[in-house]
Amino acid sequence: MNLIVSADENWGIGRNNQLLVRIPDDLRLFRELTEGKVVVMGRKTRESLPNGILANRVNLVLTHDRHYEAGNAVVVHSMDELHRRLEPYPTDEVYVIGGGSVYSQLLDECSTAYVTKIEFAYAADAYAPNLDHLPEWELIAESEEQTYFDLIYYFANIKQRGGTMDITGRKLFVKALREEGVDTIFGYPGGMVTDIFDELYKQEDIRVVLPRHEQGLIFEAEGYAKASGKVGVCLVTSGPGATNIITGLADAHYDSIPLVCITGQVPLGLIGNDAFQEVDIVGMTQSVTKYGVTVRDRKDLGRI
């Protein structure tokens, strides 16, 4: 997929559901790149369009509102449904056009970003992901300085470096959850899993249920699995966060309730050194789980 965005110095993209500024050359480039292609947008982006639709394009609108109607646009309500709708189209003919939450949800699936970068800071209330701060994205080409009245801007072509080794572990983890159809996760934050929670909270299609204690968390996940027929997924931090779920693991094991539990762990160099909040959670739970493993390399996340 491709991402196309016009952003100010702080990666602001809009205010009050409108563009921050309309630059003719930017609008012309948008039309040239997307005409005859597929555009993916959120509900608010669609509602900001003058006619509610972009002509000569396949319009896909991603929204949680199952009663939402969008005229000639195709409405989808989940990432799985979106992917099914996109199957007939080449990925290089799909353009993500906003807004902020849709950019965040589909960023990892985009290989190229066409960015109009405006050298001005507006009072924006909607933002795109700041690709300048993401090491997996690399500036490939940049135009000469352009002007529109007193505004200075330029066009940038930014690409995501190929291969999963250039994607952070937390993004691989969330990507794997989505590919497995996980829409609910029971989690309790802690130091070793903070980055994962930061990534989870960027998603709109994965609900994070926050309990008051890890033991309550795993029994909630067990009840969810019983009631829904789905796998209960848990995320807790290392040390006491991990040991607090053992009773629930044993209960689920003996009742054959499907659970997948992910715990944090101290950095690799500290494992086996009695570090703060380090326990051998894999060894401690061998008798009450069917499978347990310590992930030592992010390239193994997809396989595991």
Side-chain angles (χ1 to χ4, degrees):
M1 292 188 198
N2 305 285
L3 181 151
I4 185 165
V5 63
S6 176
D8 73 359
E9 290 179 342
N10 300 318
W11 288 82
I13 58 174
R15 180 175 174 81
N16 297 327
N17 207 30
Q18 297 295 324
L19 292 175
L20 296 174
V21 60
R22 291 181 175 272
I23 301 174
D25 283 347
D26 171 54
L27 298 176
R28 188 178 302 111
L29 176 65
F30 179 91
R31 183 172 62 253
E32 291 173 354
L33 287 173
T34 63
E35 203 161 34
K37 306 298 194 319
V38 182
V39 290
V40 180
M41 69 194 85
R43 174 182 58 82
K44 290 184 178 180
T45 298
R46 182 255 168 186
E47 292 172 354
S48 72
L49 300 175
N51 299 313
I53 196 168
L54 290 170
N56 303 320
R57 304 161 182 86
V58 177
N59 290 241
L60 294 179
V61 181
L62 178 62
T63 175
H64 289 302
D65 185 352
R66 296 194 170 273
H67 302 290
Y68 188 73
E69 297 181 359
N72 292 328
V74 177
V75 180
V76 295
H77 304 101
S78 68
M79 298 301 293
D80 286 341
E81 188 178 356
L82 174 64
H83 290 139
R84 286 196 298 271
R85 288 285 188 175
L86 290 175
E87 282 178 0
Y89 306 102
T91 56
D92 61 352
E93 294 187 2
V94 179
Y95 287 80
V96 181
I97 66 170
S101 64
V102 175
Y103 284 138
S104 295
Q105 290 180 78
L106 293 172
L107 182 64
D108 289 344
E109 300 183 43
C110 295
S111 59
T112 304
Y114 299 94
V115 183
T116 301
K117 305 186 77 172
I118 304 166
E119 293 190 350
F120 188 80
Y122 290 89
D125 59 15
Y127 295 84
N130 188 337
L131 302 187
D132 293 333
H133 293 168
L134 299 178
E136 61 268 33
W137 287 85
E138 179 181 15
L139 178 65
I140 300 299
E142 193 171 76
S143 73
E144 295 181 354
E145 183 180 287
Q146 312 287 314
T147 58
Y148 177 62
F149 293 104
D150 58 344
L151 273 182
I152 297 173
Y153 67 95
Y154 49 93
F155 300 111
N157 187 335
I158 306 175
K159 287 187 176 290
Q160 185 166 196
R161 295 182 174 94
T164 58
M165 284 303 293
D166 290 312
I167 302 177
T168 59
R170 66 178 182 271
K171 289 188 175 182
L172 281 174
F173 174 79
V174 173
K175 186 173 186 289
L177 289 180
R178 287 165 52 187
E179 289 178 350
E180 293 297 327
V182 175
D183 57 15
T184 302
I185 185 168
F186 297 82
Y188 195 89
M192 293 297 106
V193 290
T194 300
D195 286 349
I196 297 177
F197 275 95
D198 286 344
E199 194 65 31
L200 282 170
Y201 287 132
K202 296 177 184 177
Q203 316 303 314
E204 289 194 349
D205 55 340
I206 299 178
R207 181 169 64 107
V208 179
V209 179
L210 177 66
R212 292 296 173 264
H213 190 276
E214 291 91 355
Q215 192 171 73
L217 171 153
I218 195 162
F219 283 111
E220 287 176 2
E222 189 177 354
Y224 170 83
K226 289 178 180 178
S228 68
K230 299 179 180 180
V231 176
V233 181
C234 305
L235 174 63
V236 296
T237 191
S238 61
T243 57
N244 281 339
I245 67 172
I246 293 178
T247 300
L249 281 175
D251 188 62
H253 178 72
Y254 293 125
D255 286 349
S256 299
I257 305 301
L259 294 181
V260 172
C261 299
I262 301 97
T263 78
Q265 183 54 288
V266 298
L268 283 175
L270 297 179
I271 293 177
N273 291 300
D274 294 328
F276 176 67
Q277 291 197 343
E278 179 207 354
V279 296
D280 178 14
I281 191 63
V282 173
M284 294 173 72
T285 57
Q286 278 184 339
S287 63
V288 292
T289 57
K290 290 188 174 181
Y291 178 75
V293 63
T294 298
V295 181
R296 295 177 179 271
D297 196 313
R298 62 178 173 176
K299 74 175 185 291
D300 294 328
L301 282 169
R303 174 181 60 82
I304 293 171

